mmCIF file of all heavy atoms in Angstrom:
data_model
loop_
_atom_site.group_PDB
_atom_site.id
_atom_site.type_symbol
_atom_site.label_atom_id
_atom_site.label_comp_id
_atom_site.label_asym_id
_atom_site.label_seq_id
_atom_site.Cartn_x
_atom_site.Cartn_y
_atom_site.Cartn_z
ATOM 1 N N VAL J 53 -204.254 -92.961 -81.534
ATOM 2 C CA VAL J 53 -204.040 -94.129 -82.395
ATOM 3 C C VAL J 53 -202.948 -94.958 -81.738
ATOM 4 O O VAL J 53 -201.871 -94.448 -81.417
ATOM 5 C CB VAL J 53 -203.610 -93.715 -83.817
ATOM 6 C CG1 VAL J 53 -203.381 -94.954 -84.674
ATOM 7 C CG2 VAL J 53 -204.652 -92.807 -84.445
ATOM 8 N N THR J 54 -203.240 -96.223 -81.509
ATOM 9 C CA THR J 54 -202.278 -97.087 -80.829
ATOM 10 C C THR J 54 -202.082 -98.388 -81.604
ATOM 11 O O THR J 54 -203.003 -98.866 -82.271
ATOM 12 C CB THR J 54 -202.721 -97.379 -79.379
ATOM 13 O OG1 THR J 54 -201.677 -98.070 -78.693
ATOM 14 C CG2 THR J 54 -204.006 -98.179 -79.302
ATOM 15 N N LEU J 55 -200.878 -98.911 -81.506
ATOM 16 C CA LEU J 55 -200.535 -100.211 -82.083
ATOM 17 C C LEU J 55 -199.978 -101.058 -80.943
ATOM 18 O O LEU J 55 -198.809 -100.946 -80.592
ATOM 19 C CB LEU J 55 -199.503 -100.063 -83.206
ATOM 20 C CG LEU J 55 -198.992 -101.369 -83.821
ATOM 21 C CD1 LEU J 55 -200.132 -102.196 -84.393
ATOM 22 C CD2 LEU J 55 -197.959 -101.056 -84.901
ATOM 23 N N PRO J 56 -200.840 -101.867 -80.319
ATOM 24 C CA PRO J 56 -200.393 -102.667 -79.174
ATOM 25 C C PRO J 56 -199.260 -103.620 -79.554
ATOM 26 O O PRO J 56 -199.244 -104.187 -80.642
ATOM 27 C CB PRO J 56 -201.643 -103.449 -78.777
ATOM 28 C CG PRO J 56 -202.782 -102.702 -79.374
ATOM 29 C CD PRO J 56 -202.251 -102.086 -80.629
ATOM 30 N N SER J 57 -198.314 -103.777 -78.625
ATOM 31 C CA SER J 57 -197.215 -104.716 -78.832
ATOM 32 C C SER J 57 -197.349 -105.854 -77.821
ATOM 33 O O SER J 57 -198.328 -105.927 -77.081
ATOM 34 C CB SER J 57 -195.872 -103.996 -78.680
ATOM 35 O OG SER J 57 -195.671 -103.606 -77.336
ATOM 36 N N ASN J 58 -196.356 -106.704 -77.775
ATOM 37 C CA ASN J 58 -196.387 -107.841 -76.859
ATOM 38 C C ASN J 58 -195.834 -107.520 -75.483
ATOM 39 O O ASN J 58 -195.817 -108.391 -74.621
ATOM 40 C CB ASN J 58 -195.616 -109.012 -77.464
ATOM 41 C CG ASN J 58 -196.325 -109.574 -78.673
ATOM 42 O OD1 ASN J 58 -197.544 -109.537 -78.765
ATOM 43 N ND2 ASN J 58 -195.559 -110.075 -79.627
ATOM 44 N N ILE J 59 -195.353 -106.298 -75.269
ATOM 45 C CA ILE J 59 -194.829 -105.924 -73.952
ATOM 46 C C ILE J 59 -195.843 -105.041 -73.233
ATOM 47 O O ILE J 59 -196.641 -104.345 -73.873
ATOM 48 C CB ILE J 59 -193.452 -105.216 -74.075
ATOM 49 C CG1 ILE J 59 -193.542 -103.966 -74.948
ATOM 50 C CG2 ILE J 59 -192.396 -106.175 -74.609
ATOM 51 C CD1 ILE J 59 -192.260 -103.146 -75.014
ATOM 52 N N LEU J 60 -195.824 -105.088 -71.922
ATOM 53 C CA LEU J 60 -196.807 -104.368 -71.121
ATOM 54 C C LEU J 60 -196.884 -102.893 -71.484
ATOM 55 O O LEU J 60 -197.970 -102.352 -71.696
ATOM 56 C CB LEU J 60 -196.489 -104.524 -69.626
ATOM 57 C CG LEU J 60 -197.381 -103.726 -68.678
ATOM 58 C CD1 LEU J 60 -198.833 -104.170 -68.803
ATOM 59 C CD2 LEU J 60 -196.896 -103.865 -67.257
ATOM 60 N N SER J 61 -195.731 -102.227 -71.581
ATOM 61 C CA SER J 61 -195.756 -100.790 -71.854
ATOM 62 C C SER J 61 -196.291 -100.470 -73.248
ATOM 63 O O SER J 61 -196.637 -99.319 -73.527
ATOM 64 C CB SER J 61 -194.360 -100.195 -71.681
ATOM 65 O OG SER J 61 -193.450 -100.798 -72.570
ATOM 66 N N GLY J 62 -196.410 -101.447 -74.087
ATOM 67 C CA GLY J 62 -196.979 -101.259 -75.410
ATOM 68 C C GLY J 62 -198.459 -101.602 -75.487
ATOM 69 O O GLY J 62 -199.037 -101.647 -76.574
ATOM 70 N N ARG J 63 -199.073 -101.856 -74.320
ATOM 71 C CA ARG J 63 -200.485 -102.246 -74.293
ATOM 72 C C ARG J 63 -201.313 -101.375 -73.361
ATOM 73 O O ARG J 63 -202.496 -101.617 -73.163
ATOM 74 C CB ARG J 63 -200.610 -103.712 -73.881
ATOM 75 C CG ARG J 63 -199.852 -104.657 -74.810
ATOM 76 C CD ARG J 63 -200.060 -106.101 -74.481
ATOM 77 N NE ARG J 63 -201.412 -106.554 -74.749
ATOM 78 C CZ ARG J 63 -201.890 -106.848 -75.957
ATOM 79 N NH1 ARG J 63 -201.139 -106.719 -77.025
ATOM 80 N NH2 ARG J 63 -203.127 -107.258 -76.105
ATOM 81 N N LEU J 64 -200.686 -100.358 -72.777
ATOM 82 C CA LEU J 64 -201.388 -99.542 -71.782
ATOM 83 C C LEU J 64 -202.534 -98.731 -72.386
ATOM 84 O O LEU J 64 -203.622 -98.659 -71.807
ATOM 85 C CB LEU J 64 -200.403 -98.634 -71.050
ATOM 86 C CG LEU J 64 -199.354 -99.389 -70.232
ATOM 87 C CD1 LEU J 64 -198.304 -98.435 -69.686
ATOM 88 C CD2 LEU J 64 -199.999 -100.183 -69.105
ATOM 89 N N THR J 65 -202.302 -98.132 -73.538
ATOM 90 C CA THR J 65 -203.369 -97.361 -74.175
ATOM 91 C C THR J 65 -204.514 -98.281 -74.600
ATOM 92 O O THR J 65 -205.689 -97.939 -74.427
ATOM 93 C CB THR J 65 -202.822 -96.550 -75.363
ATOM 94 O OG1 THR J 65 -201.768 -95.703 -74.883
ATOM 95 C CG2 THR J 65 -203.903 -95.685 -76.001
ATOM 96 N N LEU J 66 -204.178 -99.451 -75.112
ATOM 97 C CA LEU J 66 -205.207 -100.444 -75.429
ATOM 98 C C LEU J 66 -206.020 -100.766 -74.176
ATOM 99 O O LEU J 66 -207.251 -100.810 -74.214
ATOM 100 C CB LEU J 66 -204.578 -101.730 -75.978
ATOM 101 C CG LEU J 66 -205.516 -102.939 -76.097
ATOM 102 C CD1 LEU J 66 -206.639 -102.676 -77.097
ATOM 103 C CD2 LEU J 66 -204.729 -104.185 -76.460
ATOM 104 N N GLY J 67 -205.335 -100.990 -73.065
ATOM 105 C CA GLY J 67 -206.026 -101.277 -71.806
ATOM 106 C C GLY J 67 -206.965 -100.156 -71.394
ATOM 107 O O GLY J 67 -208.054 -100.404 -70.867
ATOM 108 N N MET J 68 -206.564 -98.913 -71.644
ATOM 109 C CA MET J 68 -207.427 -97.775 -71.318
ATOM 110 C C MET J 68 -208.660 -97.763 -72.210
ATOM 111 O O MET J 68 -209.771 -97.512 -71.735
ATOM 112 C CB MET J 68 -206.645 -96.469 -71.448
ATOM 113 C CG MET J 68 -205.588 -96.303 -70.389
ATOM 114 S SD MET J 68 -204.669 -94.762 -70.630
ATOM 115 C CE MET J 68 -203.115 -95.211 -69.853
ATOM 116 N N TYR J 69 -208.458 -98.034 -73.495
ATOM 117 C CA TYR J 69 -209.618 -98.134 -74.392
ATOM 118 C C TYR J 69 -210.555 -99.247 -73.909
ATOM 119 O O TYR J 69 -211.771 -99.088 -73.891
ATOM 120 C CB TYR J 69 -209.189 -98.415 -75.835
ATOM 121 C CG TYR J 69 -208.879 -97.177 -76.649
ATOM 122 C CD1 TYR J 69 -207.655 -97.020 -77.274
ATOM 123 C CD2 TYR J 69 -209.829 -96.166 -76.813
ATOM 124 C CE1 TYR J 69 -207.371 -95.892 -78.040
ATOM 125 C CE2 TYR J 69 -209.560 -95.038 -77.571
ATOM 126 C CZ TYR J 69 -208.331 -94.904 -78.180
ATOM 127 O OH TYR J 69 -208.067 -93.783 -78.942
ATOM 128 N N GLN J 70 -210.001 -100.391 -73.507
ATOM 129 C CA GLN J 70 -210.826 -101.489 -73.017
ATOM 130 C C GLN J 70 -211.570 -101.084 -71.753
ATOM 131 O O GLN J 70 -212.753 -101.385 -71.610
ATOM 132 C CB GLN J 70 -209.961 -102.726 -72.768
ATOM 133 C CG GLN J 70 -209.473 -103.364 -74.040
ATOM 134 C CD GLN J 70 -208.471 -104.479 -73.808
ATOM 135 O OE1 GLN J 70 -207.653 -104.411 -72.904
ATOM 136 N NE2 GLN J 70 -208.520 -105.501 -74.659
ATOM 137 N N LYS J 71 -210.888 -100.428 -70.830
ATOM 138 C CA LYS J 71 -211.507 -99.995 -69.579
ATOM 139 C C LYS J 71 -212.678 -99.054 -69.853
ATOM 140 O O LYS J 71 -213.700 -99.098 -69.163
ATOM 141 C CB LYS J 71 -210.458 -99.316 -68.691
ATOM 142 C CG LYS J 71 -210.971 -98.839 -67.369
ATOM 143 C CD LYS J 71 -211.217 -99.999 -66.449
ATOM 144 C CE LYS J 71 -211.631 -99.498 -65.070
ATOM 145 N NZ LYS J 71 -212.100 -100.584 -64.228
ATOM 146 N N MET J 72 -212.538 -98.210 -70.880
ATOM 147 C CA MET J 72 -213.620 -97.283 -71.224
ATOM 148 C C MET J 72 -214.707 -97.949 -72.067
ATOM 149 O O MET J 72 -215.728 -97.339 -72.360
ATOM 150 C CB MET J 72 -213.056 -96.075 -71.993
ATOM 151 C CG MET J 72 -212.191 -95.160 -71.163
ATOM 152 S SD MET J 72 -211.704 -93.643 -72.047
ATOM 153 C CE MET J 72 -210.544 -94.290 -73.271
#
Side-chain angles (χ1 to χ4, degrees):
V53 179
T54 188
L55 176 58
S57 68
N58 292 329
I59 58 175
L60 175 62
S61 60
R63 302 185 68 78
L64 296 172
T65 303
L66 169 64
M68 291 178 206
Y69 273 124
Q70 289 172 324
K71 181 73 175 170
M72 291 187 289

